[in-house]
Each structure stands twice: as C-alpha cells, then as structure tokens.
Amino acid sequence: MRTKTNVTYRFCLVCICLLGVALQGLSQSPRQTVLFTDDWKFHKGDVPDGQTENFDDHDWRPVELPHDWSIEGPFSQQWASGTGFLPGGIGWYRKIFQINNPDPGKKIFIYFDGVYKNSEVWLNGHLLGRRPNGYIPFQYELTPYLQKGKNTFAVKVDHSKFADSRWYPGSGIYRNVYLITKDPVHIGLWGTRFVTPQVSEQNAAAEVTVSINNTLATPANIVVEARLLQGTTVVASARKKTSLAGKATQDTRLSFMVSQPLLWSVEQPNLYTLTTTVYQNGRKVDEYSEKAGIRSIRFDANTGFYLNGENMKLKGVCIHHDAGALGAAVPREVWQRRLVKLKEVGCNAIRMSHYPHQDYLYELCDEMGFLVQDEAFDEWEAGKNKWIEGWNVGTPGKDGYHEYFQEWAERDLSDMIRRNKNHPSIIMWSIGNEIDYPNDPYTHEILNTGRNPQIYGKGYLPDHPPARRLGEISKQLVAAAKRCDTTRPVTAALAGVVMSNTSDYPGNLDVVGYNYQEYRYADDHKTYADRIIYGSENGKSGEAWTAVDTSKNIFGQFLWTGFDFMGEAGRWPVRSSGAGLLNLAGFPKTEFYARQALWVKKPVMYLVASRQRGDQAPRGRRMLKHTWNWNAGDTVRVDCITNTQEAELFLNGKSLGKRSKQDTGANRFSWNIAYEPGKLVARGYINGEVSSDTLMTSGGPATIWVVADKTQFREGKKELAHIEITLHDQKGNPVYDAASSITLTVQGPARLLGMESGDPASHEDYSSTKRAMYNGQLLAYIQSDGKPGKITVTIDSPGLPSKKVTINSIQSSR
C-alpha cells in the first residue's frame, strides 16, 4: 500500500454525517483509496456481542485513528518492564457509516496497516477475519456484506497478555486504515512487482509483473499497460493483451528499457512513478501508481556491499516504532523529522527491528535515501524471556508470537515481503533477531565449553529446544522468502554464533548478521570464507566501528539504537530504554555527536562537562550539553567531542591547552579543570580553526523560547507541527538543567497530540496539557483538524511570561 501516491484526502467524498461517511463517491473512478480513520468509537474492556449491528455504543469514547490505548496509561509496576510498565488488555472499536447509492459493479475492501494484536473484524455482524500478528497489514473484502443505508464495523483487539514483547508494542488500531474500491477486474493486493535485473549508467532493463484478479464468472479480454514516469514525462512503457479466465488470478509480465536512468542512491534518492493500468474492452478498469527506484545491489564475502557498482559501508541504526508520548500511533511527520536527524549524524542505513513498521516509513526511506534491512520476527516456535520486574530481574514471562508461529509465520513473512518488495531502499530481508540467543530458548552441548554467559549462557540445558532446529526452521523461512523475492538476500541477526555454527542456520542465509560479536569477524572470515558478514546490531564504541571501517569484508554495522524507545526498561521507575543516539523527543544526546564525529566529514565540535569523579570518564548519557553551572571549588571534567586534528580549550579567554588526535588517537579530548563561572570555549583546528563550541554559565529561567517547524497548515490535511520549547536566562543563555513545568493550550482548528521531554523515568500522564521539562527541553506535537482558521498555541511556565505561537490553516492549492 503506497499512501503518498494513492491516498487522496477527499473530504468531498468522505462526508462526515450522523452515521459516518457516505461511500457513494468512491465509485467515481475505477480505483479509489481513502483514509478511513475518522468517527470511530472505542471502549477499553471486553463486551459481549460488541460485533452486532444493534449493539448500544452510545457511551463509547470517540477516537480518531490511528489510536494506541496503552500509551494512555497509567504507568504502573503491575505491568511489565519489557513493555514499558504500561497496560494491555482488550479493546473494542466500532464505526457506523452510510452507503446511500451503492454501485453494484464495484468491489470494496478495507485495509489495515497494523492492529496490535489478535484482531477480529466484523461488518454488519459477519466475521471478516482474524489476524494475530500486530505488525502485519491485512485486507478484507466487504462487498458481500455491505447493505444500503446503515453499516457497522466492529473490531476487537486482544492484548490481554500484556507481557508479550521485549519492547513497547502499543495496543489497538495504531496504524492507518484505508477504504478501497475497485472494479471486478482489478490489480490484486500488492499486485505489482518492479525489478531491474540489469542496470548501468546508460541503460536499465526493467520488468513489471502484474497480478490481476477477475472476480467475474466470465472470461475477460484485457490490455495491461505499465508506464514509468519522471515527473509527468513517460520515459518508458509497455503494453500486453491477454485473456483472463473467469474467477481467476493471473500474472502478466511486461518489460522495457530505460535510457540514461536516474539511479536511486543514498546521496541522490531518485524516484520514478510506476503507473500500471488495466483496460477491458477499451475501458480503463483499474490503475495503480507507486514510486519506483532503479538501482543495483551486490554483496561479496571478501569486499562487502556495492550500491550501483560502488563499494560502500553501511552506517546504520536499529529503530523501534514508537515515539514516546505518541506511543505506537506515530504520524508521518514525526518520522520525517527523526530521519532528518539521522542524516545529520551520518546514518545511511536503518534496521527495522524487529518487525514490519508503518507503511509510510518505508516511503520516507525511499525518498530520503536510507538503505533498509526489513525484519520479520524476534522469536520463532519457542518463547523468549519477557522481563516483567526489570531487564534481567526476577522471573521472566514467555508469552509472545511463538504461540502463532507454526500457523502464521510463512504467511506473515510472505506478506511483509509482498507489501514492501518495490521499495528501492530495502536491500535485505531478515527472518529473525537473536533467535539463537544461548538458552533463550535454543541450546547445544557446545555451551558447556566456555564461561562467558553472553556467549555460552548457563551451559547446555537439555530441557530446552535443540540448536539443530535453527537450521530446520530457517530453511523453511528462507524458502518462503525466496518464493516472494529473489532480488535481495535473506539474512538474520545472530546472537549466539558459536552455537549457530553447529547448525545449518548460518549456511541457510545469504548474508549473516552478527550481534555484538566483532571479535569473531576475522576468525569466522577465515573459517567460513564464503560467508558474507556484517554487524546487524552493535554497541557504540569506537572499536566496534573500527572493526567495520578497517575490514574490507565487513560491510557495515547497525547501532543499538537510533532513538530511545519505550520498554526494555530496567527497574521501576525507569520505563523506557536510553539506548538511543537521540532521546524520545528526538533531541540529540552526547552519543549523537560522538557518532557524528566518526561518520561525517564536516567538522564536528561538541562540549560536555561533568563533575570529576576520579579517573574514570563519566557515562556519556549523564553528560549535559552546555551545563557550565557548578559549585566553587569543583573539579570539572570537560570533554570535547570532535573529528578535528587538534582542539584548544579557553576559559574566560585564557587558554587551558591544546589536545591532539596524534597524541590520543581518539575523537574525544579531555581536561580536568577547576570550575570558574563564565564562558568556556573549545576551538577545533585542521590547518587552521574550522569549528568551535561554547558553554556558558546561565542564570535562572527568565524567558520561554520556542521553535516551530510549521507556520501554516493546509486546509483538508491533518498535518502536524513540532514545537521545541526551551528556557533561557535574562542574557539569552539556555538553561539546560531546567526542569520547569510547562502548560500548553491550543485554540483554533487543531489539538495537542502530546508532549515529550525525553525523561525515561517520568510517569506523567501523556494526555495531560502539563509536563515537566527534562534537561531544559520539551517537544510539543500539534495536529490540525483540516479546517481553515487561525491556530494559537500558548506556552506557560510558572513565573515566566507566556509565549504564543501562531499557525494559520490555509486553503491548499489544487
């Protein structure tokens, strides 16, 4: 499903009325796709007969989709640390809508991009289907059960096993829902396949395979046409006549050459539009458009990865799908802002850990130039440890996807690949993350041969499933993936390589990912000369990157993680992971600049300070940017993170000496100095001064400063603005240790979607209009309702003058 190209926000078609939306406008063209997210009702808790047409839902809460009920809280120790100490449960959704003049010649479908989890969907009391996996999109046909006049959707979501994940999964219809209408002869779900088997700067050979459904009882004579457009110009096309039997599905293959193709790359993510059209008896009966990219990829066991024939290293991060205050119901603009930040740090690759993500996230990776590893599973037939009291604390639970694996795994994997196969950004399909973690759950006698628990666990545990199952199951999953796509390699992220090497697991994979096992790179390359190896999950040490940067055969790494995320928490009160380069609000942390100094060519200079406690360097995430407020007599450690050759530190204009990379061999220079209030400046040199950074002693908060990334919303579009809030003293210096309370009010056609500070231990209500700052920062999400008018956002903090931000919602150009 391609939301950007195919979804049209047509308020003239989706008419809000007492009963919902009028669907008769959907028949105006062969195919229509509209968001189906307004005017739903929600009830938390199970109800008998909630699927029936005449059920009384008058006291249910109105909601707009996407909706995640878990993030509404409250945080509590009665829930699980692994899922962020937030509740699960059972929830029901209902939507009543009206069809005034149904077109009997149309087929109507509903498409869910993801419902977590165990969803059951009914229309007018008829069960359409069930889907256990909360991350996989699915579609149901509505046509047989639609009726003129009133129609009723009901969706039951069962997340009662709340400790079912090692991260925060969310709960509910937390991704977009679409209503789709088609003719009886139409392109099937995810029914186009675009590949470029031969690519050069001069020409690209392209093949388009179109899966066409004929739902009529009689044969259909059709013409299938594929056009590749650059803007509005057709650069290549092909047509083919064919006959399609009644009640049948058939693939039609077309091919064409593209002259002087604009190749998709990380630096220049050029995209075309692929439009596929089906004609029956001269009449257009279906048309589907999506973005397409032309590029070539190649992997080599000795020399690594090649994009369009150029050897390159993957500078990757792993991500989860949540965004703090928004839970798992994250708007597109939020991820767009986040990906911009990842570009700034030098990132060029993303691992979708450990499940398929939102549809638009893949589109953004196509548009912005990120290489993607798409991942299907975190566990297979047996459950992993799900921590409840805290990570590695107490007795874990075992609930999770393994309960549905045998019945659903191949279908879920296939659907992930079928949905995403045309994204040029995707270069690998992963069938699993750390499935082979020693004794969690698989085991082998080799675990008795070592003492490192990360490598060997607690030794061989004969009551656990044997490691040979890794080879047996991976063989089945790889075969299922290859039936869907042979143009990309199949991989997995291995945590117990020592154990996995006793099985067929690594040998079944095209490319083998190593999690936190850089020490094995060289020896395994010698032992398994044909094995293509990369870092599928890595720590942030400079040594871990050096193991990639200095090895011809190791083609990349994926840091854990790009952003802090909900869940995988330690002991209460901490309820989220602080593993990210950026925090939950998308504000950079110290690790962001340390990585930037390794990954980018432009000069980087970043100062952090902390009170000295012996010779051991303080942990990076405890360092606060621009905090030059200490006590008289304190010895302060000052760290300068830089990729320059030299750095010099000045306190109130006096030089405290230079540090050189030639002496330290690192991207971090340090000074231990006696605190003195004022101005601390670091200057970086590469054949002269190229960069600098400053810490200032600040006074108390005096003013509220805001930065909004939008001043206008377009009418008819439910757009989102980010407002970054900081406090400054009377001289304009930022107060980075401020923890002041902020209250936010919105007037006009918009609403406050949430506020995020990044505090991993905050238990404040995310639905509140009041929130405390963390490290002197706060982010507010403002979403328009699509109506015209002036929007005024007022920011208040006790004892400070109010600050107002104005956003105008204007009529969009057509």
Side-chain angles (χ1 to χ4, degrees), residues 299-354:
F299 298 78
D300 186 275
N302 295 309
T303 57
F305 172 71
Y306 295 80
L307 177 64
N308 299 326
E310 295 187 11
N311 188 247
M312 65 179 295
K313 299 288 188 183
L314 270 60
K315 302 173 181 178
V317 300
C318 305
I319 62 171
H320 276 303
H321 65 165
D322 73 278
L326 306 177
V330 185
R332 179 189 181 103
E333 295 97 327
V334 175
W335 272 112
Q336 187 169 23
R337 172 179 177 265
R338 287 178 156 213
L339 294 184
V340 168
K341 294 291 186 182
L342 291 182
K343 279 288 184 179
E344 292 176 4
V345 83
C347 174
N348 63 17
I350 292 175
R351 178 182 174 213
M352 301 290 186
S353 48
H354 304 295

Side-chain angles (χ1 to χ4, degrees), residues 117-150:
K117 66 173 188 174
N118 291 315
S119 65
E120 298 176 81
V121 182
W122 290 267
L123 173 62
N124 297 327
H126 299 276
L127 179 65
L128 301 178
R130 300 179 174 91
R131 195 68 182 241
N133 192 318
Y135 304 109
I136 292 291
F138 54 91
Q139 175 179 284
Y140 300 125
E141 184 177 355
L142 311 180
T143 317
Y145 311 112
L146 285 170
Q147 52 200 27
K148 185 175 181 179
K150 175 185 172 182

Side-chain angles (χ1 to χ4, degrees), residues 423-438:
H423 287 288
S425 57
I426 297 177
I427 60 170
M428 293 183 281
W429 306 115
S430 172
I431 60 172
N433 169 64
E434 296 187 347
I435 307 297
D436 62 338
Y437 199 94

Side-chain angles (χ1 to χ4, degrees), residues 151-166:
N151 288 265
T152 304
F153 266 119
V155 181
K156 180 182 178 181
V157 185
D158 187 350
H159 189 196
S160 53
K161 294 182 178 181
F162 60 88
D164 63 337
S165 176
R166 300 190 304 116

Side-chain angles (χ1 to χ4, degrees), residues 26-215:
L26 289 175
S27 62
Q28 291 179 359
S29 64
R31 173 191 291 248
Q32 288 286 330
T33 303
V34 296
L35 277 172
F36 200 57
T37 53
D38 290 333
D39 298 317
W40 288 78
K41 286 188 171 184
F42 171 71
H43 173 79
K44 187 176 179 182
D46 201 3
V47 295
D49 302 320
Q51 75 278 15
T52 58
E53 294 181 76
N54 297 322
F55 182 86
D56 183 4
D57 60 10
H58 78 276
D59 59 346
W60 287 24
R61 174 159 62 101
V63 295
E64 179 181 320
L65 306 182
H67 172 246
D68 173 7
W69 81 67
S70 287
I71 200 63
E72 297 170 0
F75 292 100
S76 172
Q77 282 182 276
Q78 75 181 100
W79 311 119
S81 63
T83 51
F85 290 112
L86 284 167
I90 293 176
W92 279 84
Y93 297 85
R94 285 172 59 88
K95 180 180 175 67
I96 298 174
F97 61 100
Q98 185 92 353
I99 299 183
N100 297 328
N101 297 300
D103 186 339
K106 292 292 183 179
K107 298 289 184 179
I108 299 178
F109 303 83
I110 190 167
Y111 179 100
F112 293 86
D113 192 44
V115 181
Y116 199 90
K117 66 173 188 174
N118 291 315
S119 65
E120 298 176 81
V121 182
W122 290 267
L123 173 62
N124 297 327
H126 299 276
L127 179 65
L128 301 178
R130 300 179 174 91
R131 195 68 182 241
N133 192 318
Y135 304 109
I136 292 291
F138 54 91
Q139 175 179 284
Y140 300 125
E141 184 177 355
L142 311 180
T143 317
Y145 311 112
L146 285 170
Q147 52 200 27
K148 185 175 181 179
K150 175 185 172 182
N151 288 265
T152 304
F153 266 119
V155 181
K156 180 182 178 181
V157 185
D158 187 350
H159 189 196
S160 53
K161 294 182 178 181
F162 60 88
D164 63 337
S165 176
R166 300 190 304 116
W167 56 86
Y168 174 79
S171 301
I173 308 178
Y174 67 158
R175 296 183 183 173
N176 279 329
V177 181
Y178 306 94
L179 204 65
I180 305 168
T181 181
K182 306 178 184 179
D183 271 31
V185 177
H186 58 260
I187 300 166
L189 176 63
W190 310 315
T192 58
R193 180 173 180 267
F194 177 79
V195 298
T196 51
Q198 296 180 357
V199 176
S200 70
E201 293 183 355
Q202 291 74 38
N203 293 286
E207 298 176 358
V208 181
T209 304
V210 188
S211 178
I212 303 170
N213 298 333
N214 179 12
T215 64

Side-chain angles (χ1 to χ4, degrees), residues 220-501:
N221 295 317
I222 60 174
V223 175
V224 184
E225 179 184 59
R227 293 176 295 147
L228 195 68
L229 294 91
Q230 180 185 341
T232 58
T233 302
V234 177
V235 298
S237 65
R239 291 169 64 97
K240 181 176 287 188
K241 294 181 179 180
T242 187
S243 180
L244 184 58
K247 300 293 183 181
T249 298
Q250 177 179 298
D251 287 349
T252 299
R253 294 178 175 82
L254 307 129
S255 61
F256 48 73
M257 295 294 294
V258 183
S259 179
Q260 303 294 316
L262 298 175
L263 301 185
W264 184 95
S265 69
V266 170
E267 295 80 13
Q268 293 183 307
N270 297 305
L271 292 172
Y272 293 89
T273 299
L274 176 66
T275 298
T276 307
T277 309
V278 179
Y279 300 91
Q280 182 184 12
N281 299 325
R283 184 177 71 89
K284 183 192 295 185
V285 294
D286 200 5
E287 186 167 83
Y288 182 71
S289 294
E290 60 188 316
K291 295 298 182 182
I294 297 174
R295 54 97 177 114
S296 66
I297 58 173
R298 180 167 68 89
F299 298 78
D300 186 275
N302 295 309
T303 57
F305 172 71
Y306 295 80
L307 177 64
N308 299 326
E310 295 187 11
N311 188 247
M312 65 179 295
K313 299 288 188 183
L314 270 60
K315 302 173 181 178
V317 300
C318 305
I319 62 171
H320 276 303
H321 65 165
D322 73 278
L326 306 177
V330 185
R332 179 189 181 103
E333 295 97 327
V334 175
W335 272 112
Q336 187 169 23
R337 172 179 177 265
R338 287 178 156 213
L339 294 184
V340 168
K341 294 291 186 182
L342 291 182
K343 279 288 184 179
E344 292 176 4
V345 83
C347 174
N348 63 17
I350 292 175
R351 178 182 174 213
M352 301 290 186
S353 48
H354 304 295
Y355 42 83
H357 284 235
Q358 299 95 326
D359 52 6
Y360 61 75
L361 185 51
Y362 300 93
E363 296 172 2
L364 288 171
C365 289
D366 291 344
E367 294 167 11
M368 299 176 70
F370 288 94
L371 300 166
V372 172
Q373 184 225 77
D374 207 10
E375 193 156 69
F377 308 118
D378 188 56
E379 63 185 26
W380 291 348
E381 63 181 353
K384 285 184 177 180
N385 291 332
K386 315 297 190 313
W387 298 104
I388 297 172
E389 299 176 47
W391 192 71
N392 281 346
V393 177
T395 302
K398 294 289 186 179
D399 293 335
Y401 179 74
H402 70 277
E403 300 167 37
Y404 318 104
F405 181 82
Q406 183 174 357
E407 179 181 358
W408 287 94
E410 290 194 19
R411 180 175 175 183
D412 287 343
L413 174 63
S414 298
D415 283 356
M416 179 190 83
I417 295 173
R418 290 174 60 227
R419 175 184 74 155
N420 290 335
K421 63 186 179 298
N422 289 341
H423 287 288
S425 57
I426 297 177
I427 60 170
M428 293 183 281
W429 306 115
S430 172
I431 60 172
N433 169 64
E434 296 187 347
I435 307 297
D436 62 338
Y437 199 94
N439 295 324
D440 189 15
Y442 294 95
T443 194
H444 190 274
E445 289 85 349
I446 200 172
L447 299 181
N448 287 330
T449 64
R451 296 183 177 180
N452 186 331
Q454 184 176 354
I455 303 172
Y456 299 98
K458 295 181 180 180
Y460 175 58
L461 300 178
D463 60 334
H464 281 45
R468 61 175 171 78
R469 290 291 292 154
L470 295 167
E472 294 167 358
I473 296 174
S474 62
K475 181 179 180 180
Q476 298 171 8
L477 294 178
V478 169
K482 297 289 187 183
R483 287 193 291 270
C484 298
D485 181 31
T486 58
T487 67
R488 300 172 178 88
V490 178
T491 186
L494 274 57
V497 177
V498 170
M499 182 176 70
S500 286
N501 282 340

